[in-house]
Amino acid sequence: MIALLAVLKNNFYRLMSHKSRIFLCFGLTLGAVLASVFINNSSVTALKVAIVSNNQAEIVSPYLNITYVDIPPSSSELFLGKYDAVVTYSEERGYEVETIKNETFKAKIEAILKNPLSYAPESESIRQIGTSIIGFLTMFILMQGVSTMYLFAEDKEYAQIGRIAVSPVPFSDYLLGHCVFTFLFLLIPTLSVVCFVKYICRIPVGFSFLEYLFLLSVICVLATAFALFIQALIKNGDSANMIGSVVAVLTSILAGSFYSFEENNRALAVIVNVLPQKIFLTFADLLEKNSNIGVLLPHIILLVLISLFFFLTALFITNKTYVVSALRQQKEGTCV
Amino acid sequence: MQQFYKILKIDVVNLCLEPAFVFFSIGFPVAGALILGFLSSGSYGNTVSSYDYYGVAVLFFGVSNAATFSANSFMEEKIKSANMRIIYSPVPKICIYLSKVAAAFIFCSLSCVISAVILHLLLKVNYGGSLAWGPFVVMLCSVFFFSAIGVLVCCFFKSESITNQIISPIIALLCLIGGVFFPIEGFGKWVVLASWLSPVKWMLTSCAEIIYDRNFTLFLPTVGILTGLSILAILISSKLFKGEDYL
């Protein structure tokens, strides 16, 4: 316990020698929150269709966002997703739909065009604002976690860790100290930025303060454990940083932090569903839709177990690389 | 020139000898395109596959990681002491940072070309057939741009850990609003407007126009602006780089 506090205190002084880091952290977090609010407020659920025609009645449908054009859009505009489909109308052949999407999608557009008023789409679960913000912050906090573990990476780089390994300090206390520090460094800026946006800018952010406190704590614990795990797995601090942030980006995107991919593939859906971010997002979604505690609890237990797994694995690996080898060298009389 | 060539050679070798870097720069774009493409393959039809989209788009995430490579080869602990020696030797200072930009450029261009070839052979990703030189030139300019940006951030903050802290989120954000991970054009008007702030968006759009429309309108502006910005970044780095506060 004393060792833990000592590590915390020491890390705090080391952080204070790089004050720009703190400002950067606040700035980046503010950017992430504002970007998520901005993107979420202007997302469009209607399908974008371009109609090539010169004379015809206007089609009104809440499910279509129609642009009338004289020249058909180029295929690169379809490729980049500017339009979901291009529709050509002629007296003889009626509507002709051209799209790069699949047949089901084409049939859906045709159905809406034939009968714009009576078309009812299958109800899709739309994510609410709180979950969207949390989704954005998930990737961001995971990335920040990896780079905040730099103090531990520095310890490895400058061989401080070897000295701690041979000292009577319990190694788990030392790692826990780094974890608590990273956790606080992640949680405090994020929480204060969210409060700033919620109470001072008066932008609706979905959850209440306590809910945010809880959700952000959970994701910060996960990010800290993940960062420690990556730093323990890869010895070189820079490589660990690089690989950790890329893994965070890729898995967050797969888990649908920003954009839910349609799950057409059973095998991959299983893999995506066990990603911690996906479990976390499902949890946030359920919380926002006011589910009862019985539904929420399993998700939380799973997340805690995953974090614990990361931490214990990291402890095992670092213990093996540093403590055991240091003790052996001590016994053999060779210096570290 | 001789001195520059020697430093450059060592820098390139340093990058190539780090297994994590090699794995990361080639494996990541291939794996990313495979996974994201596979995930969304069902919603695409026969004319354009999801691999066609992600094969091009995720490649630009690999390209933008050139900034991390140049930053790491510039500020890494192992290289710092060697650089300190160069500062006090009769070699122009410009050799130090310019060779890092050049080394990251060579390393990333090579790995991007290799991943593009793998993706083309494996998933038949369309890179424009006979016009493939167009996207290739855009890619080279983008690698150059991001390499220069990496060194600029290093010169500005003068610390590797801060550079690492800031560069990865910014790259992720640029790629995100540039439409690398999902088509950003499907979002609202303001997001589409804001997405033009990201250079990744220019790269992706000009490549898409070349590949699918055989249209080179955006090609010259993109290449010109990227090269101009890269040269500007190098000039600012040379103003900011002071050997004395390097440590």
Side-chain angles (χ1 to χ4, degrees), chain B residues 116-151:
Chain B
V117 169
I118 294 176
L119 283 172
H120 181 67
L121 294 177
L122 205 65
L123 304 169
K124 307 209 165 32
V125 175
N126 185 356
Y127 286 109
S130 58
L131 289 181
W133 62 269
F136 176 69
V137 171
V138 173
M139 191 202 78
L140 287 189
C141 290
S142 320
V143 174
F144 186 48
F145 171 72
F146 279 110
S147 309
I149 289 293
V151 166

PDB file of all heavy atoms in Angstrom, chain B residues 116-151:
ATOM      1  N   ALA B 116      -0.521  -3.040 -51.167  1.00  0.00           N
ATOM      2  CA  ALA B 116      -1.467  -2.866 -52.279  1.00  0.00           C
ATOM      3  C   ALA B 116      -1.383  -4.052 -53.234  1.00  0.00           C
ATOM      4  O   ALA B 116      -2.409  -4.565 -53.694  1.00  0.00           O
ATOM      5  CB  ALA B 116      -1.175  -1.566 -53.013  1.00  0.00           C
ATOM      6  N   VAL B 117      -0.161  -4.504 -53.512  1.00  0.00           N
ATOM      7  CA  VAL B 117      -0.002  -5.636 -54.423  1.00  0.00           C
ATOM      8  C   VAL B 117      -0.626  -6.893 -53.822  1.00  0.00           C
ATOM      9  O   VAL B 117      -1.359  -7.631 -54.494  1.00  0.00           O
ATOM     10  CB  VAL B 117       1.498  -5.856 -54.747  1.00  0.00           C
ATOM     11  CG1 VAL B 117       1.694  -7.183 -55.459  1.00  0.00           C
ATOM     12  CG2 VAL B 117       2.017  -4.727 -55.601  1.00  0.00           C
ATOM     13  N   ILE B 118      -0.386  -7.099 -52.506  1.00  0.00           N
ATOM     14  CA  ILE B 118      -0.984  -8.267 -51.837  1.00  0.00           C
ATOM     15  C   ILE B 118      -2.508  -8.205 -51.931  1.00  0.00           C
ATOM     16  O   ILE B 118      -3.172  -9.176 -52.286  1.00  0.00           O
ATOM     17  CB  ILE B 118      -0.548  -8.329 -50.350  1.00  0.00           C
ATOM     18  CG1 ILE B 118       0.949  -8.588 -50.244  1.00  0.00           C
ATOM     19  CG2 ILE B 118      -1.314  -9.427 -49.607  1.00  0.00           C
ATOM     20  CD1 ILE B 118       1.475  -8.564 -48.839  1.00  0.00           C
ATOM     21  N   LEU B 119      -3.073  -6.993 -51.649  1.00  0.00           N
ATOM     22  CA  LEU B 119      -4.528  -6.853 -51.676  1.00  0.00           C
ATOM     23  C   LEU B 119      -5.072  -7.078 -53.082  1.00  0.00           C
ATOM     24  O   LEU B 119      -6.134  -7.658 -53.262  1.00  0.00           O
ATOM     25  CB  LEU B 119      -4.918  -5.454 -51.181  1.00  0.00           C
ATOM     26  CG  LEU B 119      -4.847  -5.248 -49.684  1.00  0.00           C
ATOM     27  CD1 LEU B 119      -5.052  -3.792 -49.338  1.00  0.00           C
ATOM     28  CD2 LEU B 119      -5.902  -6.080 -48.990  1.00  0.00           C
ATOM     29  N   HIS B 120      -4.314  -6.595 -54.073  1.00  0.00           N
ATOM     30  CA  HIS B 120      -4.774  -6.750 -55.451  1.00  0.00           C
ATOM     31  C   HIS B 120      -4.787  -8.229 -55.854  1.00  0.00           C
ATOM     32  O   HIS B 120      -5.733  -8.709 -56.471  1.00  0.00           O
ATOM     33  CB  HIS B 120      -3.880  -5.948 -56.388  1.00  0.00           C
ATOM     34  CG  HIS B 120      -4.288  -6.034 -57.820  1.00  0.00           C
ATOM     35  ND1 HIS B 120      -5.462  -5.484 -58.278  1.00  0.00           N
ATOM     36  CD2 HIS B 120      -3.712  -6.630 -58.884  1.00  0.00           C
ATOM     37  CE1 HIS B 120      -5.581  -5.733 -59.567  1.00  0.00           C
ATOM     38  NE2 HIS B 120      -4.540  -6.429 -59.961  1.00  0.00           N
ATOM     39  N   LEU B 121      -3.717  -8.931 -55.473  1.00  0.00           N
ATOM     40  CA  LEU B 121      -3.636 -10.343 -55.857  1.00  0.00           C
ATOM     41  C   LEU B 121      -4.630 -11.185 -55.068  1.00  0.00           C
ATOM     42  O   LEU B 121      -5.258 -12.102 -55.597  1.00  0.00           O
ATOM     43  CB  LEU B 121      -2.213 -10.869 -55.630  1.00  0.00           C
ATOM     44  CG  LEU B 121      -1.134 -10.252 -56.509  1.00  0.00           C
ATOM     45  CD1 LEU B 121       0.227 -10.798 -56.134  1.00  0.00           C
ATOM     46  CD2 LEU B 121      -1.420 -10.514 -57.981  1.00  0.00           C
ATOM     47  N   LEU B 122      -4.776 -10.848 -53.783  1.00  0.00           N
ATOM     48  CA  LEU B 122      -5.583 -11.683 -52.888  1.00  0.00           C
ATOM     49  C   LEU B 122      -7.079 -11.423 -53.072  1.00  0.00           C
ATOM     50  O   LEU B 122      -7.872 -12.354 -53.160  1.00  0.00           O
ATOM     51  CB  LEU B 122      -5.175 -11.357 -51.445  1.00  0.00           C
ATOM     52  CG  LEU B 122      -5.386 -12.413 -50.388  1.00  0.00           C
ATOM     53  CD1 LEU B 122      -4.484 -13.594 -50.689  1.00  0.00           C
ATOM     54  CD2 LEU B 122      -5.052 -11.841 -49.016  1.00  0.00           C
ATOM     55  N   LEU B 123      -7.455 -10.141 -53.131  1.00  0.00           N
ATOM     56  CA  LEU B 123      -8.882  -9.784 -53.115  1.00  0.00           C
ATOM     57  C   LEU B 123      -9.326  -9.103 -54.395  1.00  0.00           C
ATOM     58  O   LEU B 123     -10.445  -8.638 -54.485  1.00  0.00           O
ATOM     59  CB  LEU B 123      -9.149  -8.839 -51.933  1.00  0.00           C
ATOM     60  CG  LEU B 123      -8.750  -9.340 -50.562  1.00  0.00           C
ATOM     61  CD1 LEU B 123      -8.817  -8.217 -49.560  1.00  0.00           C
ATOM     62  CD2 LEU B 123      -9.680 -10.450 -50.132  1.00  0.00           C
ATOM     63  N   LYS B 124      -8.403  -9.008 -55.371  1.00  0.00           N
ATOM     64  CA  LYS B 124      -8.717  -8.360 -56.662  1.00  0.00           C
ATOM     65  C   LYS B 124      -9.222  -6.934 -56.452  1.00  0.00           C
ATOM     66  O   LYS B 124     -10.179  -6.485 -57.101  1.00  0.00           O
ATOM     67  CB  LYS B 124      -9.749  -9.168 -57.439  1.00  0.00           C
ATOM     68  CG  LYS B 124      -9.357 -10.624 -57.606  1.00  0.00           C
ATOM     69  CD  LYS B 124      -9.910 -11.238 -58.846  1.00  0.00           C
ATOM     70  CE  LYS B 124      -9.233 -12.541 -59.200  1.00  0.00           C
ATOM     71  NZ  LYS B 124      -8.768 -13.325 -58.034  1.00  0.00           N
ATOM     72  N   VAL B 125      -8.595  -6.208 -55.521  1.00  0.00           N
ATOM     73  CA  VAL B 125      -8.978  -4.817 -55.294  1.00  0.00           C
ATOM     74  C   VAL B 125      -8.653  -4.008 -56.536  1.00  0.00           C
ATOM     75  O   VAL B 125      -7.591  -4.163 -57.125  1.00  0.00           O
ATOM     76  CB  VAL B 125      -8.227  -4.243 -54.079  1.00  0.00           C
ATOM     77  CG1 VAL B 125      -8.515  -2.774 -53.917  1.00  0.00           C
ATOM     78  CG2 VAL B 125      -8.603  -4.993 -52.831  1.00  0.00           C
ATOM     79  N   ASN B 126      -9.600  -3.162 -56.942  1.00  0.00           N
ATOM     80  CA  ASN B 126      -9.426  -2.366 -58.149  1.00  0.00           C
ATOM     81  C   ASN B 126      -8.617  -1.101 -57.832  1.00  0.00           C
ATOM     82  O   ASN B 126      -9.061  -0.252 -57.069  1.00  0.00           O
ATOM     83  CB  ASN B 126     -10.820  -1.987 -58.669  1.00  0.00           C
ATOM     84  CG  ASN B 126     -10.773  -1.264 -59.989  1.00  0.00           C
ATOM     85  OD1 ASN B 126      -9.696  -0.964 -60.500  1.00  0.00           O
ATOM     86  ND2 ASN B 126     -11.930  -0.986 -60.531  1.00  0.00           N
ATOM     87  N   TYR B 127      -7.414  -0.998 -58.408  1.00  0.00           N
ATOM     88  CA  TYR B 127      -6.616   0.219 -58.217  1.00  0.00           C
ATOM     89  C   TYR B 127      -6.546   1.018 -59.505  1.00  0.00           C
ATOM     90  O   TYR B 127      -5.671   1.848 -59.676  1.00  0.00           O
ATOM     91  CB  TYR B 127      -5.206  -0.121 -57.728  1.00  0.00           C
ATOM     92  CG  TYR B 127      -5.187  -0.543 -56.286  1.00  0.00           C
ATOM     93  CD1 TYR B 127      -4.952  -1.853 -55.932  1.00  0.00           C
ATOM     94  CD2 TYR B 127      -5.425   0.374 -55.270  1.00  0.00           C
ATOM     95  CE1 TYR B 127      -4.949  -2.255 -54.614  1.00  0.00           C
ATOM     96  CE2 TYR B 127      -5.430  -0.010 -53.948  1.00  0.00           C
ATOM     97  CZ  TYR B 127      -5.190  -1.318 -53.624  1.00  0.00           C
ATOM     98  OH  TYR B 127      -5.187  -1.707 -52.320  1.00  0.00           O
ATOM     99  N   GLY B 128      -7.443   0.729 -60.447  1.00  0.00           N
ATOM    100  CA  GLY B 128      -7.514   1.560 -61.645  1.00  0.00           C
ATOM    101  C   GLY B 128      -6.899   0.928 -62.878  1.00  0.00           C
ATOM    102  O   GLY B 128      -6.829   1.569 -63.918  1.00  0.00           O
ATOM    103  N   GLY B 129      -6.432  -0.306 -62.801  1.00  0.00           N
ATOM    104  CA  GLY B 129      -5.881  -0.991 -63.974  1.00  0.00           C
ATOM    105  C   GLY B 129      -4.727  -0.230 -64.592  1.00  0.00           C
ATOM    106  O   GLY B 129      -3.732   0.038 -63.918  1.00  0.00           O
ATOM    107  N   SER B 130      -4.915   0.207 -65.858  1.00  0.00           N
ATOM    108  CA  SER B 130      -3.811   0.878 -66.555  1.00  0.00           C
ATOM    109  C   SER B 130      -3.565   2.268 -65.989  1.00  0.00           C
ATOM    110  O   SER B 130      -2.514   2.859 -66.212  1.00  0.00           O
ATOM    111  CB  SER B 130      -4.124   0.968 -68.044  1.00  0.00           C
ATOM    112  OG  SER B 130      -5.336   1.674 -68.203  1.00  0.00           O
ATOM    113  N   LEU B 131      -4.535   2.811 -65.257  1.00  0.00           N
ATOM    114  CA  LEU B 131      -4.349   4.148 -64.685  1.00  0.00           C
ATOM    115  C   LEU B 131      -3.844   4.069 -63.240  1.00  0.00           C
ATOM    116  O   LEU B 131      -3.880   5.058 -62.515  1.00  0.00           O
ATOM    117  CB  LEU B 131      -5.666   4.918 -64.720  1.00  0.00           C
ATOM    118  CG  LEU B 131      -6.139   5.363 -66.101  1.00  0.00           C
ATOM    119  CD1 LEU B 131      -7.429   6.142 -65.985  1.00  0.00           C
ATOM    120  CD2 LEU B 131      -5.087   6.221 -66.772  1.00  0.00           C
ATOM    121  N   ALA B 132      -3.392   2.905 -62.813  1.00  0.00           N
ATOM    122  CA  ALA B 132      -2.977   2.724 -61.419  1.00  0.00           C
ATOM    123  C   ALA B 132      -1.868   3.686 -61.017  1.00  0.00           C
ATOM    124  O   ALA B 132      -1.672   3.927 -59.820  1.00  0.00           O
ATOM    125  CB  ALA B 132      -2.531   1.290 -61.179  1.00  0.00           C
ATOM    126  N   TRP B 133      -1.152   4.257 -61.998  1.00  0.00           N
ATOM    127  CA  TRP B 133      -0.096   5.203 -61.619  1.00  0.00           C
ATOM    128  C   TRP B 133      -0.688   6.428 -60.931  1.00  0.00           C
ATOM    129  O   TRP B 133      -0.021   7.050 -60.103  1.00  0.00           O
ATOM    130  CB  TRP B 133       0.743   5.595 -62.837  1.00  0.00           C
ATOM    131  CG  TRP B 133      -0.036   6.308 -63.913  1.00  0.00           C
ATOM    132  CD1 TRP B 133      -0.668   5.726 -64.964  1.00  0.00           C
ATOM    133  CD2 TRP B 133      -0.276   7.711 -64.028  1.00  0.00           C
ATOM    134  NE1 TRP B 133      -1.304   6.664 -65.722  1.00  0.00           N
ATOM    135  CE2 TRP B 133      -1.071   7.907 -65.187  1.00  0.00           C
ATOM    136  CE3 TRP B 133       0.093   8.824 -63.278  1.00  0.00           C
ATOM    137  CZ2 TRP B 133      -1.503   9.158 -65.593  1.00  0.00           C
ATOM    138  CZ3 TRP B 133      -0.329  10.076 -63.683  1.00  0.00           C
ATOM    139  CH2 TRP B 133      -1.119  10.234 -64.832  1.00  0.00           C
ATOM    140  N   GLY B 134      -1.935   6.784 -61.262  1.00  0.00           N
ATOM    141  CA  GLY B 134      -2.568   7.961 -60.645  1.00  0.00           C
ATOM    142  C   GLY B 134      -2.674   7.815 -59.139  1.00  0.00           C
ATOM    143  O   GLY B 134      -2.066   8.577 -58.375  1.00  0.00           O
ATOM    144  N   PRO B 135      -3.429   6.799 -58.652  1.00  0.00           N
ATOM    145  CA  PRO B 135      -3.486   6.564 -57.200  1.00  0.00           C
ATOM    146  C   PRO B 135      -2.114   6.358 -56.588  1.00  0.00           C
ATOM    147  O   PRO B 135      -1.874   6.790 -55.451  1.00  0.00           O
ATOM    148  CB  PRO B 135      -4.317   5.276 -57.094  1.00  0.00           C
ATOM    149  CG  PRO B 135      -5.128   5.240 -58.323  1.00  0.00           C
ATOM    150  CD  PRO B 135      -4.337   5.919 -59.397  1.00  0.00           C
ATOM    151  N   PHE B 136      -1.205   5.749 -57.355  1.00  0.00           N
ATOM    152  CA  PHE B 136       0.143   5.513 -56.835  1.00  0.00           C
ATOM    153  C   PHE B 136       0.850   6.839 -56.536  1.00  0.00           C
ATOM    154  O   PHE B 136       1.435   7.008 -55.459  1.00  0.00           O
ATOM    155  CB  PHE B 136       0.934   4.691 -57.863  1.00  0.00           C
ATOM    156  CG  PHE B 136       2.358   4.444 -57.502  1.00  0.00           C
ATOM    157  CD1 PHE B 136       2.684   3.608 -56.446  1.00  0.00           C
ATOM    158  CD2 PHE B 136       3.385   5.060 -58.202  1.00  0.00           C
ATOM    159  CE1 PHE B 136       4.000   3.386 -56.104  1.00  0.00           C
ATOM    160  CE2 PHE B 136       4.707   4.843 -57.855  1.00  0.00           C
ATOM    161  CZ  PHE B 136       5.009   4.000 -56.808  1.00  0.00           C
ATOM    162  N   VAL B 137       0.734   7.800 -57.458  1.00  0.00           N
ATOM    163  CA  VAL B 137       1.379   9.102 -57.236  1.00  0.00           C
ATOM    164  C   VAL B 137       0.718   9.819 -56.054  1.00  0.00           C
ATOM    165  O   VAL B 137       1.408  10.392 -55.202  1.00  0.00           O
ATOM    166  CB  VAL B 137       1.320   9.966 -58.519  1.00  0.00           C
ATOM    167  CG1 VAL B 137       1.792  11.378 -58.237  1.00  0.00           C
ATOM    168  CG2 VAL B 137       2.169   9.347 -59.607  1.00  0.00           C
ATOM    169  N   VAL B 138      -0.610   9.761 -55.980  1.00  0.00           N
ATOM    170  CA  VAL B 138      -1.307  10.387 -54.851  1.00  0.00           C
ATOM    171  C   VAL B 138      -0.802   9.778 -53.546  1.00  0.00           C
ATOM    172  O   VAL B 138      -0.522  10.477 -52.573  1.00  0.00           O
ATOM    173  CB  VAL B 138      -2.836  10.196 -54.971  1.00  0.00           C
ATOM    174  CG1 VAL B 138      -3.534  10.700 -53.723  1.00  0.00           C
ATOM    175  CG2 VAL B 138      -3.360  10.925 -56.188  1.00  0.00           C
ATOM    176  N   MET B 139      -0.648   8.447 -53.545  1.00  0.00           N
ATOM    177  CA  MET B 139      -0.187   7.756 -52.337  1.00  0.00           C
ATOM    178  C   MET B 139       1.221   8.208 -51.947  1.00  0.00           C
ATOM    179  O   MET B 139       1.477   8.483 -50.781  1.00  0.00           O
ATOM    180  CB  MET B 139      -0.221   6.250 -52.582  1.00  0.00           C
ATOM    181  CG  MET B 139      -0.035   5.434 -51.360  1.00  0.00           C
ATOM    182  SD  MET B 139       0.529   3.794 -51.842  1.00  0.00           S
ATOM    183  CE  MET B 139       2.240   4.126 -52.185  1.00  0.00           C
ATOM    184  N   LEU B 140       2.115   8.324 -52.947  1.00  0.00           N
ATOM    185  CA  LEU B 140       3.477   8.757 -52.643  1.00  0.00           C
ATOM    186  C   LEU B 140       3.476  10.142 -52.017  1.00  0.00           C
ATOM    187  O   LEU B 140       4.154  10.379 -51.006  1.00  0.00           O
ATOM    188  CB  LEU B 140       4.323   8.778 -53.923  1.00  0.00           C
ATOM    189  CG  LEU B 140       4.751   7.437 -54.502  1.00  0.00           C
ATOM    190  CD1 LEU B 140       5.745   7.663 -55.630  1.00  0.00           C
ATOM    191  CD2 LEU B 140       5.396   6.569 -53.438  1.00  0.00           C
ATOM    192  N   CYS B 141       2.698  11.052 -52.609  1.00  0.00           N
ATOM    193  CA  CYS B 141       2.655  12.415 -52.072  1.00  0.00           C
ATOM    194  C   CYS B 141       2.091  12.405 -50.652  1.00  0.00           C
ATOM    195  O   CYS B 141       2.550  13.157 -49.785  1.00  0.00           O
ATOM    196  CB  CYS B 141       1.792  13.310 -52.946  1.00  0.00           C
ATOM    197  SG  CYS B 141       2.552  13.645 -54.509  1.00  0.00           S
ATOM    198  N   SER B 142       1.089  11.539 -50.404  1.00  0.00           N
ATOM    199  CA  SER B 142       0.501  11.481 -49.064  1.00  0.00           C
ATOM    200  C   SER B 142       1.510  10.967 -48.053  1.00  0.00           C
ATOM    201  O   SER B 142       1.604  11.484 -46.935  1.00  0.00           O
ATOM    202  CB  SER B 142      -0.721  10.574 -49.056  1.00  0.00           C
ATOM    203  OG  SER B 142      -1.469  10.745 -50.211  1.00  0.00           O
ATOM    204  N   VAL B 143       2.289   9.948 -48.445  1.00  0.00           N
ATOM    205  CA  VAL B 143       3.305   9.424 -47.523  1.00  0.00           C
ATOM    206  C   VAL B 143       4.308  10.526 -47.192  1.00  0.00           C
ATOM    207  O   VAL B 143       4.684  10.721 -46.032  1.00  0.00           O
ATOM    208  CB  VAL B 143       4.034   8.206 -48.139  1.00  0.00           C
ATOM    209  CG1 VAL B 143       5.163   7.766 -47.248  1.00  0.00           C
ATOM    210  CG2 VAL B 143       3.088   7.060 -48.351  1.00  0.00           C
ATOM    211  N   PHE B 144       4.695  11.276 -48.221  1.00  0.00           N
ATOM    212  CA  PHE B 144       5.649  12.361 -48.017  1.00  0.00           C
ATOM    213  C   PHE B 144       5.060  13.392 -47.053  1.00  0.00           C
ATOM    214  O   PHE B 144       5.722  13.824 -46.105  1.00  0.00           O
ATOM    215  CB  PHE B 144       5.968  13.006 -49.370  1.00  0.00           C
ATOM    216  CG  PHE B 144       7.039  14.051 -49.310  1.00  0.00           C
ATOM    217  CD1 PHE B 144       8.230  13.799 -48.649  1.00  0.00           C
ATOM    218  CD2 PHE B 144       6.862  15.275 -49.928  1.00  0.00           C
ATOM    219  CE1 PHE B 144       9.219  14.761 -48.590  1.00  0.00           C
ATOM    220  CE2 PHE B 144       7.837  16.243 -49.872  1.00  0.00           C
ATOM    221  CZ  PHE B 144       9.016  15.988 -49.200  1.00  0.00           C
ATOM    222  N   PHE B 145       3.807  13.740 -47.268  1.00  0.00           N
ATOM    223  CA  PHE B 145       3.131  14.720 -46.426  1.00  0.00           C
ATOM    224  C   PHE B 145       3.123  14.273 -44.964  1.00  0.00           C
ATOM    225  O   PHE B 145       3.527  15.010 -44.069  1.00  0.00           O
ATOM    226  CB  PHE B 145       1.704  14.910 -46.943  1.00  0.00           C
ATOM    227  CG  PHE B 145       0.819  15.726 -46.046  1.00  0.00           C
ATOM    228  CD1 PHE B 145       1.004  17.089 -45.920  1.00  0.00           C
ATOM    229  CD2 PHE B 145      -0.204  15.123 -45.330  1.00  0.00           C
ATOM    230  CE1 PHE B 145       0.182  17.832 -45.103  1.00  0.00           C
ATOM    231  CE2 PHE B 145      -1.021  15.872 -44.515  1.00  0.00           C
ATOM    232  CZ  PHE B 145      -0.828  17.224 -44.397  1.00  0.00           C
ATOM    233  N   PHE B 146       2.704  13.015 -44.727  1.00  0.00           N
ATOM    234  CA  PHE B 146       2.604  12.564 -43.338  1.00  0.00           C
ATOM    235  C   PHE B 146       3.977  12.395 -42.695  1.00  0.00           C
ATOM    236  O   PHE B 146       4.132  12.649 -41.500  1.00  0.00           O
ATOM    237  CB  PHE B 146       1.782  11.282 -43.247  1.00  0.00           C
ATOM    238  CG  PHE B 146       0.305  11.548 -43.261  1.00  0.00           C
ATOM    239  CD1 PHE B 146      -0.459  11.209 -44.347  1.00  0.00           C
ATOM    240  CD2 PHE B 146      -0.299  12.162 -42.191  1.00  0.00           C
ATOM    241  CE1 PHE B 146      -1.820  11.470 -44.363  1.00  0.00           C
ATOM    242  CE2 PHE B 146      -1.660  12.432 -42.199  1.00  0.00           C
ATOM    243  CZ  PHE B 146      -2.416  12.086 -43.290  1.00  0.00           C
ATOM    244  N   SER B 147       4.993  11.986 -43.482  1.00  0.00           N
ATOM    245  CA  SER B 147       6.340  11.885 -42.914  1.00  0.00           C
ATOM    246  C   SER B 147       6.801  13.248 -42.436  1.00  0.00           C
ATOM    247  O   SER B 147       7.367  13.390 -41.344  1.00  0.00           O
ATOM    248  CB  SER B 147       7.333  11.362 -43.951  1.00  0.00           C
ATOM    249  OG  SER B 147       6.875  10.207 -44.557  1.00  0.00           O
ATOM    250  N   ALA B 148       6.549  14.285 -43.270  1.00  0.00           N
ATOM    251  CA  ALA B 148       6.977  15.633 -42.897  1.00  0.00           C
ATOM    252  C   ALA B 148       6.217  16.118 -41.666  1.00  0.00           C
ATOM    253  O   ALA B 148       6.798  16.758 -40.780  1.00  0.00           O
ATOM    254  CB  ALA B 148       6.759  16.587 -44.067  1.00  0.00           C
ATOM    255  N   ILE B 149       4.914  15.775 -41.587  1.00  0.00           N
ATOM    256  CA  ILE B 149       4.109  16.203 -40.437  1.00  0.00           C
ATOM    257  C   ILE B 149       4.641  15.570 -39.147  1.00  0.00           C
ATOM    258  O   ILE B 149       4.754  16.232 -38.108  1.00  0.00           O
ATOM    259  CB  ILE B 149       2.623  15.811 -40.652  1.00  0.00           C
ATOM    260  CG1 ILE B 149       2.004  16.673 -41.734  1.00  0.00           C
ATOM    261  CG2 ILE B 149       1.829  15.932 -39.360  1.00  0.00           C
ATOM    262  CD1 ILE B 149       1.853  18.124 -41.371  1.00  0.00           C
ATOM    263  N   GLY B 150       5.014  14.271 -39.217  1.00  0.00           N
ATOM    264  CA  GLY B 150       5.538  13.590 -38.032  1.00  0.00           C
ATOM    265  C   GLY B 150       6.746  14.306 -37.467  1.00  0.00           C
ATOM    266  O   GLY B 150       6.846  14.561 -36.255  1.00  0.00           O
ATOM    267  N   VAL B 151       7.690  14.677 -38.363  1.00  0.00           N
ATOM    268  CA  VAL B 151       8.896  15.365 -37.903  1.00  0.00           C
ATOM    269  C   VAL B 151       8.553  16.758 -37.382  1.00  0.00           C
ATOM    270  O   VAL B 151       9.106  17.217 -36.375  1.00  0.00           O
ATOM    271  CB  VAL B 151       9.938  15.418 -39.045  1.00  0.00           C
ATOM    272  CG1 VAL B 151      11.033  16.397 -38.735  1.00  0.00           C
ATOM    273  CG2 VAL B 151      10.515  14.042 -39.266  1.00  0.00           C
TER     274      VAL B 151
END
